[in-house]
Amino acid sequence: MIKLWSRTRSIASESSPCSFETLEPRVVLDGTPADAANPVVEINTNYGNIYVELFPDVAPLTVENFLGYVNRGDYNGTFFHRHVTDFVLQGGGYKWNEGAQSVAHITQQDPVVNEFNLSNLQWTVAMAKIGGDPDSATSEWFINLKDNAHRIVNGQDVGLDAQNEGFTVFGNVVGGRDAVTAITGLRISNFGGTFTDLPVTESYDGQGDVLNSDLVVINKAELVYDPAVSLVSDTTVIPGGSANGSNLTTVVLPNGLGRTIAFQQQGLSGGWTVSDLGLKSESSGDTGSPVSWIDPKDGKTYAAAVGADGLILYKNTSGTNWSSRNLNDEVSGAGLITHSLTAFISKDGKSYLAGLTAGGKLMLFRQTGASANGDYTWTARNLSDTDLAGQTMPDFSGALSSYVTSWGGLNIVGLDSSGDIQAFWWSPGRDAWAIANLSNSTGAPPLQGSISPYLTSWGAINLTGTDSAGKVIVTWWVPSFGGQWTKSDLTTLKGGPALDPGSVSTYVTPWGGTNIVGRDENGQVAAYWWSPTLGAGQWQITILSQFISGAEIPTGPMVGFSSPSGVVNIFGTADNGDLIRYWWKPNQQWQWANVSSEAVLT
């Protein structure tokens, strides 16, 4: 252990584990996107995120060694302890105990065999080691701030490619170079020993105790892209989807690392891409319950997902580029949504996001109509503590859904633990939201899974679910009913198949066709569908996965939606996490695609 007595005293320490000379500046390299076959680690610091693409093909033992420290969380709470200007920024070694005013090296794994295969060019990441011992690298690593490969002094090459049998390059900084630049722009302080080149933050004043805020701290290092799981979809989550009039189609869902990914197709003839929205926007943290929509005010595709520290809003700025915001950081006092996120757009074009807190309270985020710095601003309201104060909140058992009526009514629905349909609703002219148990008023049987709503052009509201036997139960209302709702057992009425409760989705086409899709008892994708040309009540039933030759069958939750141009989309995940699409265009046959196998990582 090394003792840091005060900010103005030097540190007594062992010699630095990284031994090499300062070199002159060389070539500045451009950043390159990560190879889809290579893992990426996010290094979250108090100056932003740094993204390092790893090279397991050229340095397999070193990458395995580095990921061992990452996956155990050993680097969390360490600090960058060495910055030599125009040379290297080094970390991965030390943690500072603010209370004890002492520093200690993290626990080290056994040294790793040297694997020098790539040159120490600018922005590459290499392992530090003890001088004269090429196989001594353990936990410490450094970023090459310049081309440090070669330097000739008195006829000898003393560059990092020539010293100590070469320093093993195992990665490259592919994102967050601005964070590195910010860190290397800080003051360097001499605390002696290993810490003669210690970068310190603006808060460091040379007096009193050393605080963690005085150091450049690695808050967390974590694997954020793994080719084995990052393109694999979570098979338990309902995908979120949207499409515009040009058939820019977007599907969002969590991947195998719990991060939100977006599959996109730019028109029916375009190829599919897939992007990790956290990597694209350089934002940290796992996210869940993603949703997507098109904002009518700017025509942009948006997505939102629940993060550990707030509600993350993503914006598709152009092409495959995305930005992100944490709405909880922007809206003071907003409660933290933890699950059951749903999105809807009011008749006046404002976007809404609603979801449940860990305590089961209903949070509502709403666009204000104003904008700042080119983005729409938001406000938030805890409906449970305001509009619904004093009322017993339902114990919801699954996902929430939402819809907006033709007269501007806002509605959020879900199933409680008894299988009853609970509806939060507001209509123009009301001062507050209300809640109603629709199952009590209709006598509907307990339902399972989730509720999927669809609305018709004549004002009918239809809430679709399945009972314990898988029968399709529609709880519905039309304006002529006044305040009364009714129910219909569509499976019994039409002699249709029972459906898996976790698979049911609904959608309406631009010409007023209504559709209910799900998996039947044989695991096939079945569609209950109706079109105005068929006449009142003339529902049809088609087994789509048999109708479409060779189609793979989604086994996870499904989502259906139609674009304004009339293209019908049904998305779901297969057992292996591949995203499967069934789609139809007017005057054409149904088709299918394995989107995951076609998508290119961007």
Side-chain angles (χ1 to χ4, degrees):
M1 179 176 287
I2 304 161
K3 185 75 173 175
L4 243 178
W5 295 102
S6 77
R7 304 191 200 195
T8 56
R9 296 178 183 176
S10 65
I11 308 171
S13 71
E14 69 269 21
S15 60
S16 171
C18 184
S19 173
F20 40 67
E21 308 226 3
T22 304
L23 302 181
E24 63 189 17
R26 290 289 184 96
V27 180
V28 177
L29 302 179
D30 292 329
T32 56
D35 188 322
N38 291 332
V40 175
V41 167
E42 177 189 274
I43 300 168
N44 174 258
T45 80
N46 46 344
Y47 282 84
N49 295 333
I50 303 168
Y51 294 89
V52 178
E53 176 189 1
L54 306 180
F55 303 141
D57 289 345
V58 296
L61 298 177
T62 307
V63 168
E64 181 182 7
N65 173 73
F66 180 74
L67 286 176
Y69 289 101
V70 169
N71 293 334
R72 287 192 305 272
D74 292 340
Y75 291 139
N76 301 349
T78 60
F79 60 93
F80 284 103
H81 66 273
R82 187 169 188 250
H83 169 214
V84 181
T85 303
D86 290 333
F87 184 37
V88 298
L89 177 65
Q90 186 174 335
Y94 299 93
K95 289 187 178 182
W96 176 239
N97 186 324
E98 188 176 284
Q101 288 292 288
S102 62
V103 67
H105 204 287
I106 65 173
T107 301
Q108 296 167 299
Q109 297 174 169
D110 292 337
V112 64
V113 174
N114 198 43
E115 296 178 300
F116 173 67
N117 291 301
L118 296 175
S119 287
N120 284 263
L121 303 177
Q122 187 186 31
W123 296 116
T124 58
V125 181
M127 293 303 297
K129 53 186 175 178
I130 297 171
D133 186 352
D135 300 326
S136 59
T138 55
S139 69
E140 293 188 36
W141 46 271
F142 58 89
I143 299 171
N144 282 297
L145 301 177
K146 296 293 182 183
D147 179 352
N148 294 327
H150 302 285
R151 183 190 181 200
I152 306 302
V153 176
N154 297 327
Q156 292 187 340
D157 188 349
V158 294
L160 299 189
D161 287 7
Q163 284 189 46
N164 207 359
E165 298 187 14
F167 284 81
T168 298
V169 169
F170 66 95
N172 187 53
V173 177
V174 293
R177 295 183 179 182
D178 54 343
V180 176
T181 300
I183 293 168
T184 56
L186 298 173
R187 274 185 304 139
I188 297 173
S189 185
N190 184 353
F191 283 89
T194 300
F195 305 98
T196 57
D197 302 293
L198 180 71
V200 292
T201 70
E202 298 88 346
S203 66
Y204 175 72
D205 61 6
Q207 302 294 322
D209 289 345
V210 175
L211 307 177
N212 276 309
S213 59
D214 296 329
L215 307 173
V216 181
V217 176
I218 295 175
N219 301 310
K220 186 176 185 180
E222 64 177 331
L223 183 67
V224 293
Y225 178 77
D226 181 343
V229 296
S230 286
L231 302 184
V232 176
S233 304
D234 187 330
T235 60
T236 67
V237 176
I238 301 172
S242 63
N244 65 12
S246 301
N247 290 304
L248 167 58
T249 305
T250 304
V251 179
V252 292
L253 66 177
N255 65 11
L257 291 177
R259 298 169 62 85
T260 297
I261 55 176
F263 291 90
Q264 283 193 306
Q265 184 187 40
Q266 301 277 347
L268 293 180
S269 61
W272 283 91
T273 61
V274 58
S275 303
D276 180 316
L277 298 191
L279 286 177
K280 296 296 285 189
S281 60
E282 297 192 358
S283 58
S284 299
D286 299 345
T287 50
S289 301
V291 294
S292 178
W293 69 97
I294 309 293
D295 194 309
K297 298 186 294 301
D298 60 9
K300 298 287 187 182
T301 298
Y302 287 78
V306 173
D309 299 319
L311 183 57
I312 309 302
L313 176 66
Y314 301 101
K315 177 181 178 181
N316 190 191
T317 54
S318 64
T320 60
N321 297 315
W322 294 76
S323 63
S324 67
R325 303 156 58 189
N326 186 325
L327 293 184
N328 280 78
D329 288 343
E330 299 180 14
V331 183
S332 178
L336 186 65
I337 293 175
T338 60
H339 59 291
S340 302
L341 186 64
T342 184
F344 54 97
I345 299 172
S346 61
K347 287 298 180 181
D348 61 356
K350 293 185 176 68
S351 297
Y352 287 74
L353 292 165
L356 299 173
T357 69
K361 295 185 176 182
L362 183 64
M363 282 298 307
L364 182 69
F365 284 77
R366 171 184 174 273
Q367 284 180 342
T368 65
S371 61
N373 300 317
D375 287 313
Y376 301 119
T377 58
W378 292 72
T379 187
R381 188 173 179 178
N382 186 323
L383 294 183
S384 299
D385 290 347
T386 55
D387 300 43
L388 306 173
Q391 300 186 52
T392 301
M393 285 294 295
D395 178 18
F396 286 102
S397 60
L400 296 180
S401 302
S402 53
Y403 60 93
V404 177
T405 64
S406 58
W407 56 90
L410 309 180
N411 301 264
I412 303 166
V413 294
L415 293 178
D416 65 19
S417 57
S418 299
D420 289 351
I421 300 175
Q422 299 282 353
F424 299 97
W425 62 279
W426 174 91
S427 62
R430 287 187 58 88
D431 294 329
W433 285 69
I435 186 170
N437 185 320
L438 299 184
S439 296
N440 282 348
S441 60
T442 64
L447 302 179
Q448 299 181 350
S450 59
I451 290 296
S452 187
Y454 66 93
L455 279 64
T456 67
S457 59
W458 56 89
I461 301 171
N462 303 270
L463 308 179
T464 307
T466 53
D467 66 11
S468 59
K471 293 181 178 180
V472 177
I473 308 298
V474 180
T475 299
W476 57 286
W477 176 93
V478 292
S480 61
F481 285 0
Q484 299 299 312
W485 287 71
T486 190
K487 70 179 188 304
S488 296
D489 178 347
L490 200 59
T491 298
T492 300
L493 286 174
K494 301 303 174 183
L499 299 181
D500 175 4
S503 67
V504 175
S505 180
T506 60
Y507 59 91
V508 176
T509 63
W511 53 91
T514 55
N515 302 262
I516 302 168
V517 295
R519 274 186 311 279
D520 66 17
E521 56 266 37
N522 297 315
Q524 302 292 323
V525 178
Y528 288 71
W529 61 278
W530 176 87
S531 175
T533 58
L534 294 173
Q538 299 302 306
W539 284 82
Q540 305 295 304
I541 298 168
T542 301
I543 308 301
L544 288 178
S545 50
Q546 294 179 347
F547 186 74
I548 308 171
S549 177
E552 291 185 53
I553 300 175
T555 56
M558 294 188 290
V559 64
F561 56 92
S562 179
S563 77
S565 68
V567 174
V568 172
N569 296 279
I570 300 170
F571 289 91
T573 51
D575 278 337
N576 64 356
D578 283 356
L579 181 65
I580 307 301
R581 180 198 192 194
Y582 293 0
W583 65 281
W584 177 86
K585 181 180 180 181
N587 302 316
Q588 292 188 9
Q589 297 294 316
W590 277 91
Q591 302 179 56
W592 81 280
N594 184 316
V595 175
S596 296
S597 67
E598 297 180 4
V600 175
L601 180 70
T602 64

